[in-house]
Amino acid sequence: MEGDCLSCMKYLMFLFNFFIFLGGACLLGLGIWVIVDPTGFREIVAANPLLFTGAYIMLAMGAMLFLLGFLGCCGAIRENKCLLLFFFMFILLIFLAELSAAILAFIFRENLTREFFTKELKKHYQRNNDTDVFSSTWNSVMITFACCGVNGPEDFEAIPHHPYSSVEKATPEACCQRELQSREGMFVNKEACLTGIERFQNRQGCYTVILNSFETYVYLAGALAIGVLAIELFAMIFAMCLFRGIQ
């Protein structure tokens, strides 16, 4: 009976580690995609230190889970106590790090409010100054998502115009409608847009557009994170039970 229980534990341990291996592969792939994606996310990530750090943490965590899942599978099948102990310690460290990250994200969630982004936009945005990272990033976001400002074009009314501009305009070029939503896309009617004709402008705020675009993915990411934490917890339990059961 004890041998059958140990054998069952071994294969359950292998199964959980296989899921960790797959989860690590998914995180690794997602991290690489965020960093190299050509549709504007690369500029957004590079310009925001928090997102830049988060992308590389995701990459590192994915690589570590990928490796540990592989080691856990090997340790379970070969019943190697050294590999099992190594696996348990590192999974415990990763589990605590992920838990700390979740707590920090909850504590600093107020930095992702509409008011925070509106304040930062009005304070730092310099319209078409592509040498300024903040402005270039916002222009990329507005072009990619066909939106304007945080709440709408009214966010730019208090932002000074370029001193050498011949057209008095509140709406930046990035808010003008394009035939193709990229920097290379042709304007539908740039002059009409800049003179204030609304039908040639993107009127919807980026906060709402991006929130709607990523709402499904946020819930999916949250569910995935909870699933990964649960799998890691069970994997640690099985690893310790298997470690104690191996003679």
Side-chain angles (χ1 to χ4, degrees), residues 37 56 98 108 120 124 127 159 162-163 180 188 206 210:
D37 178 67
Y56 278 95
E98 289 172 344
F108 293 105
E120 289 296 300
H124 300 293
R127 298 185 175 274
I159 297 175
H162 194 285
L180 178 66
V188 175
C206 292
I210 294 175

Side-chain angles (χ1 to χ4, degrees), residues 50 105-121 138 149-151 155 206-208 211:
L50 186 62
F106 179 78
I107 292 172
F108 293 105
R109 69 191 184 281
E110 64 272 9
N111 288 342
L112 299 177
T113 61
R114 185 188 297 268
E115 292 74 20
F116 172 81
F117 285 118
T118 304
K119 179 182 176 182
E120 289 296 300
L121 180 70
W138 260 105
V150 179
N151 309 287
D155 291 342
C206 292
Y207 190 88
T208 301
L211 199 64

Side-chain angles (χ1 to χ4, degrees), residues 10 13-14 17 71-80 84 242:
K10 179 174 72 174
M13 172 74 179
F14 177 85
N17 277 283
L71 290 175
C73 289
C74 292
I77 291 298
R78 299 185 63 180
E79 298 185 7
N80 187 304
L84 287 172
L242 189 58

Side-chain angles (χ1 to χ4, degrees), residues 63-237:
M64 193 174 293
L65 286 174
F66 183 86
L67 176 61
L68 287 177
F70 176 77
L71 290 175
C73 289
C74 292
I77 291 298
R78 299 185 63 180
E79 298 185 7
N80 187 304
K81 296 185 76 171
C82 183
L83 280 177
L84 287 172
L85 185 60
F86 177 81
F87 167 82
F88 175 84
M89 295 302 296
F90 271 87
I91 284 290
L92 179 61
L93 289 174
I94 292 171
F95 181 84
L96 292 175
E98 289 172 344
L99 201 59
S100 300
I103 292 170
L104 287 173
F106 179 78
I107 292 172
F108 293 105
R109 69 191 184 281
E110 64 272 9
N111 288 342
L112 299 177
T113 61
R114 185 188 297 268
E115 292 74 20
F116 172 81
F117 285 118
T118 304
K119 179 182 176 182
E120 289 296 300
L121 180 70
K122 292 182 177 180
K123 183 178 179 181
H124 300 293
Y125 185 69
Q126 299 177 22
R127 298 185 175 274
N128 298 323
N129 183 6
D130 285 335
T131 60
D132 177 65
V133 175
F134 183 89
S135 304
S136 176
T137 299
W138 260 105
N139 287 336
S140 294
V141 170
M142 292 189 290
I143 291 170
T144 301
F145 290 95
C147 57
C148 189
V150 179
N151 309 287
E154 63 273 11
D155 291 342
F156 300 101
E157 291 175 358
I159 297 175
H161 302 146
H162 194 285
Y164 302 108
S165 175
S166 59
V167 182
E168 284 294 314
K169 57 183 183 295
T171 306
E173 291 181 6
C175 289
C176 295
Q177 293 181 5
R178 297 170 184 250
E179 295 177 1
L180 178 66
Q181 292 308 131
S182 71
R183 285 184 177 271
E184 293 73 31
M186 297 292 293
F187 291 99
V188 175
N189 192 326
K190 180 179 175 181
E191 290 73 19
C193 166
L194 296 180
T195 53
I197 300 178
E198 294 185 1
R199 65 192 181 95
F200 295 110
Q201 299 174 349
N202 296 316
R203 304 291 300 176
Q204 193 168 11
C206 292
Y207 190 88
T208 301
V209 172
I210 294 175
L211 199 64
N212 292 339
S213 299
F214 288 99
E215 186 176 12
T216 304
Y217 299 104
V218 168
Y219 289 120
L220 183 61
L224 181 63
I226 292 171
V228 168
L229 288 173
I231 289 171
E232 288 172 356
L233 185 62
F234 279 108
M236 286 190 291
I237 293 171

